[in-house]
Amino acid sequence: MLIGELSRRTGVSTRLLRYYEEQGLLTPGRGTNGYRHYGEDAVLTVQRIRVLLGAGLTTEVIRTVLPCVRGTGTGFEWCTEVRTVLEGELASMDARIDSLRRNRDAVAAYLAQPADGAPRDEAPWDGAPRDEAL
């Protein structure tokens, strides 16, 4: 099938399909006219790519795990390198979540202050200069 048909069957734009090809996720054949030609298995491959992207994986990680994906959905055939890669991704996601929680707590603390900007545990600033360093 040509790229336009693959796009229609998967709901993924031709531009994005070309991007997947550039990233090494999708490998079309070429006809004598130079057009991309995809086999029937490309539909399932694109669906798998979309599921893995939806899980927050990068195209680099997907390139590593995609050969081990079997079936539809998130079922994996566990190659050793896939488990290692996914464990690393999970640790990275956990670290990002922790960082976002700290950032969220800081913003929530700023918003918990009175609207005039004075901290809750101090008297409002009277405009007089202070000796303490900022």
Side-chain angles (χ1 to χ4, degrees):
M1 82 186 84
L2 297 177
I3 194 168
E5 183 179 348
L6 181 59
S7 174
R8 282 188 297 280
R9 289 181 60 187
T10 60
V12 175
S13 72
T14 57
R15 182 176 177 198
L16 197 49
L17 292 172
R18 287 186 201 101
Y19 175 75
Y20 294 165
E21 181 184 344
E22 290 170 11
Q23 296 300 305
L25 304 177
L26 196 56
T27 308
R30 293 283 181 166
T32 55
N33 57 5
Y35 290 179
R36 290 171 176 85
H37 183 77
Y38 298 91
E40 283 297 316
D41 61 328
V43 174
L44 186 55
T45 299
V46 171
Q47 292 169 346
R48 290 172 177 160
I49 292 167
R50 302 298 295 165
V51 166
L52 294 168
L53 286 169
L57 299 177
T58 65
T59 56
E60 182 179 345
V61 171
I62 293 171
R63 188 172 43 252
T64 302
V65 302
L66 194 57
C68 293
V69 176
R70 300 291 182 258
T72 58
T74 57
F76 288 103
E77 180 180 297
W78 289 109
C79 304
T80 304
E81 67 272 7
V82 169
R83 180 170 286 283
T84 302
V85 167
L86 291 179
E87 286 171 349
E89 284 300 303
L90 184 59
S92 177
M93 288 176 182
D94 286 340
R96 288 193 310 260
I97 289 169
D98 290 343
S99 178
L100 283 171
R101 281 193 180 121
R102 285 190 302 274
N103 293 350
R104 187 211 174 278
D105 291 347
V107 171
Y110 299 147
L111 290 173
Q113 295 178 8
D116 64 6
R120 289 191 187 275
D121 59 349
E122 293 182 15
W125 184 53
D126 60 7
R130 297 184 183 215
D131 293 334
E132 60 214 33
L134 296 177

